[in-house]
Amino acid sequence: MNFWNYNQSERETVGYLLGDLPEDKMTEFEMRYFSDDELFDHMLMVKHELVDAYVRRHLDAETHEKFERHFLATPGGQQEVAFASALREKLNQTQPAPAKPQTSRWLKLFGAWSWPEFGLAAATLLLVAIGFGWLVIQNRKLNHELASARAEREAESKQNEQLRETLAQLTAPTPTPSIIAPQQPEPPIQNDRLYAFNIRPNTKGSSDSPTAKTETGMNGVRLKLELNFKPVELRCLVELKAPNGATIGRQRLRARSLPQGGYYVQADFRMENLKAGKYEATVTGRDVDDNQQRTIPYSFTIEPKDQ
């Protein structure tokens, strides 16, 4: 089965799911379906068709290889394929046996249906009900998160309006210029086997990029990335790259408010055998002030223990 014969929209969606789009197109597509519910639903439908075709072994060789290399490289993709495989295996195990003479009054009542056929129908209905229930739960979860985001945005809007009214009532002398020493990044701390870094936007390429020494048993990083803009609906895309330039992962997250003002986003990336070197991270989102897309770079370094 060749998914590339579909229309332009579906080819783009399949290309995203298989990691076959350029980096800028991948990010652009994620930002679009992250804010477009209709595109998001379309992406889910194409993904389910792609997983089902993989489990049924209906994919052509090229698409099959891309699916395993990209889609199965993520824990979420592995879970979806495992669920679809279990469903397919259950259906295969309940194939009906040859029909027997209809001597039971129940068989006479329901015609030519045998008990194995009833079992197959019941198992199929049960699995469909479970799958539908899972989709309902996920939909409710997304709706709850959307409602929470809207409530938080309304609360922030009211708070900002109150602050503007208070400032309008105050008068202050013209401030005199002063030189403020740049704040140094907070040193990384160990937290539940994760390297923890607090990074400000201006650390990329500078000597004050936060560092940590390699430690035995560490299996990931926790990044607290301060923002220099407020994202629309607090939505951000966080991407982390290894020292060799390979993409470790992407996460769609919501920004949080800092006590002293401003916003930050926190992302955990878990991986085994962390190697020494300089890691690059970016946060992408649309600025609420001008609705323009911003991409903010960050960096941190993991040094060998003997340095």
Side-chain angles (χ1 to χ4, degrees), residues 202-240:
N202 61 351
T203 59
K204 182 178 181 182
S206 61
S207 60
D208 62 350
S209 176
T211 61
K213 300 288 186 179
T214 55
E215 296 289 344
T216 303
M218 304 301 288
N219 60 1
V221 295
R222 170 166 294 171
L223 304 180
K224 180 179 178 182
L225 308 174
E226 296 189 18
L227 306 179
N228 56 10
F229 71 99
K230 179 181 178 181
V232 173
E233 296 185 357
L234 302 181
R235 295 180 177 182
C236 295
L237 174 66
V238 181
E239 182 179 52
L240 178 63

Side-chain angles (χ1 to χ4, degrees), residues 128-146:
V128 170
I130 292 174
F132 180 75
W134 182 82
L135 290 176
V136 170
I137 292 173
Q138 293 299 315
N139 186 56
R140 289 181 178 177
K141 181 179 178 181
L142 290 174
N143 289 337
H144 177 72
E145 292 179 352
L146 180 59

